[in-house]
Each structure stands twice: as C-alpha cells, then as structure tokens.
Amino acid sequence: MDLSKSKKGTAAVWGGEGDLNTKGAVTSPIVNSVAFSYHDLDEWHHVATGKANGFIYSRNTNPTVAVLEEKIRILENAEAATAFATGMAAISNTLFTFLTAGKRVVSIKDTYGGTSKIFLDFLPHYDVGVTLCDTSDHDQLEEEIAKGCDLVYLETPTNPTLKVVDVQRLSEAAKKVNAIVVVDNTFATPINQNPLQLGADLVIHSATKFLCGHSDAMGGLIAGNKPLLQKIFNFREINGASLQADPAYMIARGMKTLELRIERQNTSALKIAEYLKGHAKVKHVFYPGLETHNGHDIAKKQMRGFGGIISFALDGNYDMVKKFLTALKLVHLAASLGSVSSLAGPPHTTSHVELTEEQRKQLGIPESLIRYSVGIENADDLLQDLEEALAKL
Ligand SMILES: *Cc1c(COP(=O)(O)O)cnc(C)c1O
C-alpha cells in the first residue's frame, strides 16, 4: 500500500515498518549495533559512496532510527527526514547549517526558550544578523522579511501563550526573497498541522513531546525536501548529535498511537478551555480553539485540531498559583508537555524563569499564568480535578 496516500493514523502505524529482514517480526527490532559488517568489499564500498542502500556506522544511519525517520517523512508529506538526539539538536543543527557569517534570520519573539537563546546568545557571535519580531505582528514580519533574509524561523502555536503564526502568508513573503522557511511543529504535531503543505521548506519536531508521548525518551526530527535535508544531514553526521536506536524505538512505538492520543487531547483541551473560560477565578484562557483567541481565525485555516496545550491566568498573584497547582491531583508539576499524563507548571518559574519581569510582560506572560498540558486521562476526571483545586482558592 502506498502510505503517502493513506490517512495519518495508518501511516503512523505502518510507516517504516517491515523493511528490515526480521523473520516476520511484527515490530521493527532495536538494532543496537554501532557498525554493520560486509562480506563483499565492493558492496561495502558502494554503500559507503552512496551507490547502494545500507548501513555503515550508527552516528550516520541506523536501521531503527530509519524506521522513525520514515514515519515522520510520511506524516509530514516530505521527501526526506532525519533524526537527532533531542529537539534542540534538530533546531541548532538546522540553524548552524544554513546561517553562516553574513547571513540574516527573521523570527518571532515567542520561540521555545532554547531556540530563543540561540538567536540572542549564540548566532550574533557568528556574525549572523538576527531580527525577532512581535509574534502576532504579521505586517512587521513581512516588512522584515522583505528587507532580505536567508532564513525565516517560525513556531506555531507558541509556548506558552499559544500565539498563532500564519505559515502560508509568511512563506509567500519568504519566497519573494528566496529565504528558507523553517517551522517548529512540536505543539501542533503532524496530526493537527502540516507546515510543508502551507509553503514551509522544513518542519522540525521535538519528538520528546507528543510524538513520543510518554515522557520516557528524547529525540528531534526534521523533514523537508532532499537537497535541504542532505545539507542538514551532512552537518549532523559530523556534529554528532545523532539519535540512538533505543530512544528511536520508544518514539516510533509512541507514534503508533499518535492519532488516537492527539484526537483525545484535542477534544479534552477544548472542553477544559471552555470550562476555564467561564470560571470566575480565571482571568484569561489562551487556547487557539476558542473563538475569542487572537489567532483563532488563522488556526482554523491551517490546523485540523487545536492541540493539547492550554495556558490560563488566575485572577490573583503567584501565591494563588502555588496554592492552585499543589491542590491539583491529576497532574505532574513538571517541565515538558505532550505526554499521556497531564502536566502543569508556571512559565514564570520554569520555561521563562531566566527572563526579566519586563521581558515576560512583553511576551504577555503574567505571574499568574499556568501552562497545562492535557493528557489522555478521561476529561471528566480532569475537569473535576480542576474544579476542586479552583474551589480551594
Ligand atoms: C521541548 C521543545 C523543544 C526542545 O526539544 P528537546 O527535545 O527538549 O530538546 C523545541 N521546541 C518546542 C516547541 C518544544 O516544546
């Protein structure tokens, strides 16, 4: 069956499976081999020079990692894909592959904390021009792109206030100046959004989050066209930020239930967002699925579902946040997101702790903000848990 024509849930289960010679095993094995041997030296030479398919050394390619790469390639409708040790490895390798001295990148202020650090603390030292625009100001983004740039880096929805960026509109602006468009699709997942279909050139995932889905393995993935992927692969091969077979297996296993989990999380998150919106002790709810959300119209245009992450501000101060979060029973108070179990935390002391009060204000992150990653628990239980915790305030 041609999986590129099948539905996402089917491709997530069957993608990349069955290619290995495993005597009929119904799951692909974990190949923990550093190197791959050849009886025929000519064959070895052909593989080494790219004339034949095969594996040589696992820093470069590995059969288990290849299964995972094939899954994301199909789910993002891409020509090629490659895996990394973490999401940040995928992001930094991409940026350092294309942004050499004298180049310019245009991005948004609300990128993931680690990505933002690359823009602010690292790239300027390599003589790369960095312009970060207000995330919701598409006119400013278009203006900065039109001035000329080499790479446009987007993320949507953003962390933690779920701002939505119009990928199609900004990709069109980028094409006019021949800039490469990169989109971090971690929050949406390929079930809800496919940036390449909206005109982007490369799509990145922290596979640590929804793709793995169980908070037990880290990884990063990039998909896009072959020439761009080849450049990134060449850099990663030498940079060495490769994914190991064990976490690759865990992530591929998690991905088999991706569609089920995301459908559940989409539905539960919308229910919870609507509930919180009507609650007297909640001042504001950020969720792209709410009609009152600033980015709802763009989200409706480019997403098939609105995702499992909500953030909301309590009508109170940080002491109230402490009281509320410790009263919740069905969440881990922890970093990360996109897991089967619900997770919550205050960006004020976690993901955005290193920013000044003023910077947080600029990003619209009040001290009473809570990021809530909806798990696959029954939504009625999650609602009851939230209700009981809010009643204690
Ligand atoms: C977590 C995350 C990353 C970084 O991924 P790691 O696997 O932790 O390195 C990048 N982008 C987004 C949106 C994330 O949530």
Side-chain angles (χ1 to χ4, degrees):
M1 181 179 184
D2 180 4
L3 287 174
S4 65
K5 295 197 175 69
S6 68
K7 296 279 196 292
K8 301 281 177 207
T10 310
V13 174
W14 288 95
E17 307 281 340
D19 292 345
L20 304 175
N21 181 15
T22 52
K23 299 189 177 3
V26 295
T27 70
S28 298
I30 305 172
V31 182
N32 274 326
S33 186
V34 164
F36 299 86
S37 66
Y38 291 88
H39 296 296
D40 179 336
L41 289 187
D42 289 337
E43 190 193 345
W44 185 3
H45 188 247
H46 285 147
V47 173
T49 51
K51 289 193 195 100
N53 288 327
F55 300 92
I56 303 255
Y57 188 60
S58 281
R59 170 155 44 75
N60 306 343
T61 54
N62 170 282
T64 310
V65 175
V67 172
L68 173 64
E69 291 169 334
E70 181 62 4
K71 284 195 196 298
I72 199 68
R73 186 192 73 73
I74 300 175
L75 287 175
E76 290 289 11
N77 297 306
E79 284 175 18
T82 195
F84 293 82
T86 64
M88 276 318 301
I91 293 165
S92 59
N93 275 256
T94 302
L95 294 175
F96 286 111
T97 295
F98 296 108
L99 295 171
T100 49
K103 306 259 176 169
R104 176 169 184 257
V105 55
V106 174
S107 186
I108 52 175
K109 285 188 180 149
D110 288 75
T111 50
Y112 177 74
T115 310
S116 185
K117 263 199 176 316
I118 297 181
F119 288 140
L120 297 171
D121 297 351
F122 291 89
L123 287 173
H125 296 303
Y126 294 89
D127 197 21
V128 172
V130 177
T131 304
L132 303 184
C133 300
D134 283 335
T135 304
S136 309
D137 191 343
H138 285 76
D139 291 337
Q140 190 200 358
L141 275 156
E142 275 179 342
E143 267 170 42
E144 288 298 336
I145 292 167
K147 285 180 190 167
C149 61
D150 302 282
L151 195 141
V152 175
Y153 187 96
L154 307 173
E155 187 177 320
T156 183
T158 63
N159 182 32
T161 53
L162 290 310
K163 290 176 189 144
V164 180
V165 178
D166 191 328
V167 177
Q168 190 169 0
R169 178 172 164 187
L170 297 175
S171 296
E172 278 164 19
K175 291 247 147 65
K176 289 186 195 147
V177 297
N178 285 323
I180 298 169
V181 179
V182 183
V183 178
D184 181 335
N185 202 29
T186 301
F187 269 43
T189 81
I191 303 300
N192 285 332
Q193 176 173 279
N194 292 115
L196 303 182
Q197 256 69 70
L198 301 166
D201 300 293
L202 292 166
V203 53
I204 296 189
H205 287 279
S206 166
T208 312
K209 311 293 171 55
F210 287 102
L211 299 187
C212 174
H214 295 70
S215 289
D216 53 7
M218 302 193 86
L221 292 164
I222 304 184
N225 71 34
K226 275 187 184 155
L228 292 178
L229 259 291
Q230 189 61 46
K231 284 187 183 157
I232 297 169
F233 176 77
N234 291 347
F235 188 78
R236 192 265 273 158
E237 229 181 345
I238 302 310
N239 163 290
S242 318
L243 185 66
Q244 300 262 325
D246 280 310
Y249 179 84
M250 303 282 272
I251 297 164
R253 185 184 208 268
M255 282 176 73
K256 292 178 188 176
T257 56
L258 184 67
E259 188 180 54
L260 290 175
R261 288 185 283 111
I262 298 302
E263 282 174 358
R264 171 86 157 199
Q265 284 161 314
N266 284 343
T267 310
S268 299
L270 186 58
K271 253 191 213 169
I272 291 169
E274 275 163 356
Y275 163 75
L276 290 170
K277 197 168 162 282
H279 201 286
K281 284 172 189 156
V282 176
K283 199 160 64 181
H284 195 82
V285 182
F286 301 89
Y287 185 66
L290 294 175
E291 273 169 31
T292 49
H293 186 77
N294 279 340
H296 179 67
D297 288 340
I298 306 169
K300 227 170 48 183
K301 198 176 65 164
Q302 67 188 19
M303 301 179 81
R304 291 179 289 270
F306 302 109
I309 315 287
I310 301 167
S311 67
F312 55 100
L314 295 176
D315 193 7
N317 56 16
Y318 188 60
D319 284 336
M320 198 187 235
V321 169
K322 276 192 195 163
K323 200 166 171 187
F324 171 73
L325 282 178
T326 47
L328 287 172
K329 294 194 178 71
L330 284 177
V331 296
H332 292 295
L333 301 184
S336 201
L337 53 93
S339 189
V340 288
S341 44
S342 295
L343 293 157
H348 184 67
T349 50
T350 54
S351 57
H352 291 68
V353 68
E354 288 176 32
L355 303 188
T356 63
E357 200 56 55
E358 187 51 38
Q359 285 171 318
R360 279 194 292 267
K361 202 166 262 157
Q362 268 188 13
L363 293 175
I365 302 173
E367 65 169 356
S368 69
L369 191 73
I370 287 155
R371 190 183 72 190
Y372 190 95
S373 171
V374 180
I376 62 165
E377 302 92 341
N378 190 292
D380 293 341
D381 290 327
L382 295 177
L383 284 167
Q384 191 186 338
D385 190 32
L386 287 161
E387 188 158 304
E388 283 169 12
L390 284 165
K392 289 190 180 141
L393 304 180

